[in-house]
Amino acid sequence: MLPLKTILYLALFLTAFFASIYKHPIIGVYAYLVTYNINPLGQWWGRFLPGFATRYAMLLALAIGLGVLFHKSKLRFGRFFEGQELLLISFVGVMWLSIVVGQSGGMDYNIDKMTKVLLVLLMASHVITTKRYFEGMIWVFVICGLYLGYELYGGAGSMRGGRYQSGVGGSDFGEGNFLAAHFGFVLPFVGVLFLKGGWKVRLLCVVAAAFIVNAIVITLSRGAFLGLAVGGVMAVLLSARLSRYRGKIIVLLIVGLLGGLYLTHDGFWYRMTSIQAVDGERDLSAQGRLDAWDGAWRMAQDYPLGVGVGRFFNHIGEYHSHIAGVDTHNTYLRCLAELGFHGFAILVLMIFTAFFMLWQIDRRASELTPERANFFHLYAYATKIALFVYLTAAMFVSSVYIEEFYWLLMFPVFLKRALDNEFLDAATEDNLSKVAKSAQLNNLKSHV
């Protein structure tokens, strides 16, 4: 007999699957993100799932696709492709091209994976097009972050050398540094929900933030530490536009800093200080990263078109034999080495476009009433901070083929389409108001 948690998960999964098809594809998008975050197969109850349920990502992607097809009249988007979407298509195209121009033939798993990610994101970007759907997505990340943080607090996963190593979270970020980067980009959205919400929402956000920060400390991730430091500085600098919330933002940052300091310990600070240690004092992990970065740069110079997706491991030993077969531990250099200067240029352009779109969203939202504009100012702000956190952490992990990186880069597209629809809704309401006033005036005239 199946465990109760397995039965409950199956019931929820099947409900989401059919609801995505018959009610609205946004349900499938949320379910997809939940399973992506928690990785059912990594849970103890996931071992009892029937065979069909182990392909949860493919099934939910299918449900989203069918939902989009059946409910296309309900979808609200303007241009079919935004520039960011075209860049993402081009980036995945470069991955396919690397099969031909790379140094080792054959199809790498990550090409297939990123093609599927592209399809899911293109569907999601045509579904998450309203304020309600966007904030629903944010809640999925926050609730899942609370769940994962609670798992780490309860001792889940494996430890090595006094730090969390792996075993919690989605397959893309089950390893400590990746999980810490994931938590880092979720935190700014927890802060915005706190600023926007009532006391119940704020209480939930405080609990979520506590478990998430504690989980980051457990990972002892230097990349996440630097990312949060950069994010904190940028949160203060960029808060100038949010005059209504600036004081609260600074208070939240101070409280968060004090809470984080309370959760740290001597081992945490010893590892953090090794970031800037001189040659003789660096630990093996830090020195190995520097050697991998040097090898990646030299590899890119030797192979300007890239060595091909997943081929860095095959070539790094040619530059530093003692780290043969290891990763770059750097998103940008991994991209440069495997996808060449042209692939790297597209990635940089996607990052730049994300920030440019957020700036445009901020500027255009100011044309709305303060009540309507507030939503977009806050979430554009949170997305900028999340990008700064994640892009900094990405200097210490290889996120080139990590799905959530591209979800974050697509947040501005979701927000932009939601803003477009907000303008349409505002115009419709304004017209209805004018019609109502005109009818009221005509009634008065008729009585006269």
Side-chain angles (χ1 to χ4, degrees):
M1 185 175 177
L2 295 177
L4 182 59
K5 283 192 175 181
T6 306
I7 294 172
L8 178 60
Y9 168 77
L10 279 173
L12 292 172
F13 175 84
L14 292 173
T15 299
F17 178 86
F18 289 109
S20 179
I21 298 171
Y22 295 109
K23 187 172 179 61
H24 198 285
I26 190 62
I27 300 170
V29 173
Y30 292 161
Y32 178 91
L33 285 173
V34 169
T35 57
Y36 175 71
N37 274 263
I38 68 171
N39 183 21
L41 299 182
Q43 307 291 327
W44 69 264
W45 44 264
R47 299 195 298 269
F48 302 95
L49 289 171
F52 78 89
T54 62
R55 303 299 303 274
Y56 56 86
M58 182 193 73
L59 288 173
L60 289 172
L62 175 63
I64 297 169
L66 291 173
V68 168
L69 181 64
F70 294 159
H71 300 280
K72 57 184 178 182
S73 62
K74 296 181 182 178
L75 304 182
R76 303 177 63 193
F77 56 88
R79 288 188 298 176
F80 194 79
F81 284 130
E82 296 291 337
Q84 186 77 323
E85 294 168 297
L86 294 175
L87 285 171
L88 183 57
I89 292 170
S90 301
F91 192 61
V92 175
V94 169
M95 295 181 190
W96 280 94
L97 181 64
S98 75
I99 298 175
V100 178
V101 301
Q103 296 305 302
S104 302
M107 175 79 166
D108 186 83
Y109 159 76
N110 283 310
I111 299 176
D112 179 58
K113 171 189 171 181
M114 286 302 298
T115 302
K116 294 174 183 175
V117 168
L118 171 65
L119 294 175
V120 171
L121 275 171
L122 289 179
M123 290 189 292
S125 67
H126 291 78
V127 174
I128 306 173
T129 59
T130 66
K131 292 193 302 183
R132 179 185 173 191
Y133 292 161
F134 182 87
E135 192 161 72
M137 175 194 68
I138 296 302
W139 272 115
V140 169
F141 277 103
V142 171
I143 296 299
C144 288
L146 170 58
Y147 176 80
L148 297 178
Y150 179 76
E151 278 200 313
L152 258 73
Y153 174 78
S158 62
M159 305 287 287
R160 187 174 72 182
R163 63 188 295 254
Y164 164 79
Q165 181 65 22
S166 62
V168 173
S171 56
D172 262 357
F173 47 85
E175 190 271 332
N177 290 316
F178 288 94
L179 183 61
H182 167 77
F183 282 139
F185 106 64
V186 172
L187 273 177
F189 296 103
V190 177
V192 163
L193 288 172
F194 180 91
L195 292 172
K196 288 177 77 269
W199 72 267
K200 292 180 181 179
V201 169
R202 291 182 174 183
L203 179 60
L204 179 59
C205 288
V206 168
V207 174
F211 278 107
I212 287 173
V213 172
N214 182 67
I216 293 173
V217 172
I218 292 173
T219 66
L220 298 183
S221 172
R222 290 175 287 210
F225 175 75
L226 282 177
L228 290 173
V230 171
V233 172
M234 296 309 300
V236 174
L237 296 178
L238 296 177
S239 66
R241 188 179 184 89
L242 298 170
S243 56
R244 174 181 171 185
Y245 294 100
R246 193 176 194 198
K248 294 178 181 178
I249 288 172
I250 292 174
V251 170
L252 278 180
L253 288 171
I254 293 173
V255 171
L257 177 61
L258 293 175
L261 289 173
Y262 174 78
L263 293 170
T264 59
H265 46 78
D266 291 342
F268 175 87
W269 291 110
Y270 175 79
R271 182 169 171 81
M272 296 309 110
T273 54
S274 68
I275 293 174
Q276 57 181 357
V278 296
D279 288 353
E281 298 172 343
R282 290 194 192 104
D283 61 27
L284 293 177
S285 174
Q287 186 58 51
R289 276 186 172 85
L290 294 176
D291 291 339
W293 294 355
D294 173 72
W297 172 240
R298 290 164 59 188
M299 194 182 301
Q301 292 177 302
D302 291 341
Y303 305 101
L305 295 180
V307 295
V309 175
R311 307 304 176 187
F312 176 87
F313 308 97
N314 299 353
H315 292 270
I316 184 60
E318 300 170 13
Y319 302 91
H320 292 282
S321 57
H322 65 287
I323 56 170
V326 305
D327 192 12
T328 54
H329 301 290
N330 185 294
T331 299
Y332 314 106
L333 288 171
R334 172 84 178 266
C335 178
L336 184 63
E338 294 195 348
L339 300 178
F341 285 89
H342 55 301
F344 177 74
I346 295 175
L347 179 61
V348 170
L349 192 54
M350 278 196 289
I351 294 169
F352 171 81
T353 300
F355 280 108
F356 181 70
M357 289 186 73
L358 292 170
W359 174 79
Q360 287 185 314
I361 288 165
D362 252 337
R363 181 177 57 82
R364 288 184 61 217
S366 298
E367 300 172 16
L368 295 166
T369 62
E371 293 74 18
R372 290 180 180 273
N374 184 56
F375 178 95
F376 297 98
H377 288 320
L378 282 172
Y379 278 115
Y381 171 79
T383 305
K384 290 173 194 173
I385 306 307
L387 280 166
F388 277 115
V389 172
Y390 198 87
L391 292 172
T392 302
M395 294 178 62
F396 299 87
V397 294
S398 294
S399 297
V400 185
Y401 313 111
I402 298 300
E403 181 172 350
E404 71 171 354
F405 183 25
Y406 302 97
W407 277 88
L408 182 54
L409 288 174
M410 291 293 284
F411 277 17
V413 176
F414 305 156
L415 269 179
K416 191 264 183 188
R417 286 191 168 133
L419 180 60
D420 290 342
N421 284 320
E422 193 67 15
F423 272 104
L424 290 174
D425 292 342
T428 300
E429 290 176 15
D430 187 49
N431 288 335
L432 289 174
S433 178
K434 288 179 180 178
V435 170
K437 288 179 181 179
S438 177
Q440 189 177 34
L441 182 61
N442 289 334
N443 285 335
L444 288 173
K445 287 180 179 178
S446 65
H447 286 299
V448 173

